[in-house]
Amino acid sequence: MDTIWLSGAEWLAVLRIGLGLWWLESWRHKDKKGWFERGTGIAWAADVAAKHRWNAVRAGFDVVVAPRPRTMAYVVVYAELALGLGLVAGLLTPISLVGGLLLNVLYLVLMIHDWAEQGQNSMMALISVVGLFGMSWQTWSLDSAIGLFQ
């Protein structure tokens, strides 16, 4: 593989780190007080799910998220932080990539009618797949430094 400036493995690391920064920005811009104290994030998602065109999304939300809104707010917010940190540092990278892919697919399905959300989540999911199958933890990562996932 010929590349310019960096090696292929280094470009994959750049892509992985960029995805991690994207997750960190998603975490950073959230109104944590709103999410944790007032339940704004889950309330917004509940409104979206209630109007969703697919019955499975409405039913799934009602079974998994609606009974535990406070817990789910913490899960969502801190999952984004953990994904960002894991990808930027390259620690447990394959787990972070799969977790991010799953979270992006969930977001994509919930927001299936919103073109902006579809674009963001589909691109983040694509980067996760490329990072996973390209083994982006081989360069510039704690995983590589400590010999994980060789």
Side-chain angles (χ1 to χ4, degrees), residues 17-96:
I17 293 165
L19 179 61
L21 292 172
W22 200 342
W23 279 116
L24 287 174
E25 175 56 20
S26 182
W27 171 80
R28 187 198 64 79
H29 83 261
K30 278 191 173 34
D31 173 11
K32 278 85 163 171
K33 190 172 186 174
W35 271 73
F36 299 148
E37 294 177 16
R38 297 186 311 275
T40 56
I42 299 302
W44 168 79
D47 185 57
V48 172
K51 299 173 187 170
H52 205 280
R53 65 178 79 162
W54 297 339
N55 290 334
V57 172
R58 289 191 302 273
F61 191 92
D62 289 344
V63 169
V64 176
V65 180
R68 50 193 78 77
R70 186 171 173 87
T71 300
M72 294 309 292
Y74 279 94
V75 167
V76 168
V77 171
Y78 287 111
E80 291 182 358
L81 175 61
L83 291 168
L85 293 173
L87 292 170
V88 169
L91 181 62
L92 303 175
T93 308
I95 296 165
S96 295

Side-chain angles (χ1 to χ4, degrees), residues 72-119:
M72 294 309 292
Y74 279 94
V75 167
V76 168
V77 171
Y78 287 111
E80 291 182 358
L81 175 61
L83 291 168
L85 293 173
L87 292 170
V88 169
L91 181 62
L92 303 175
T93 308
I95 296 165
S96 295
L97 289 166
V98 170
L101 176 61
L102 293 174
L103 195 54
N104 281 128
V105 169
L106 285 172
Y107 290 172
L108 181 71
V109 169
L110 178 63
M111 298 299 298
I112 198 71
H113 65 282
D114 185 325
W115 288 102
E117 286 288 328
Q118 285 181 338

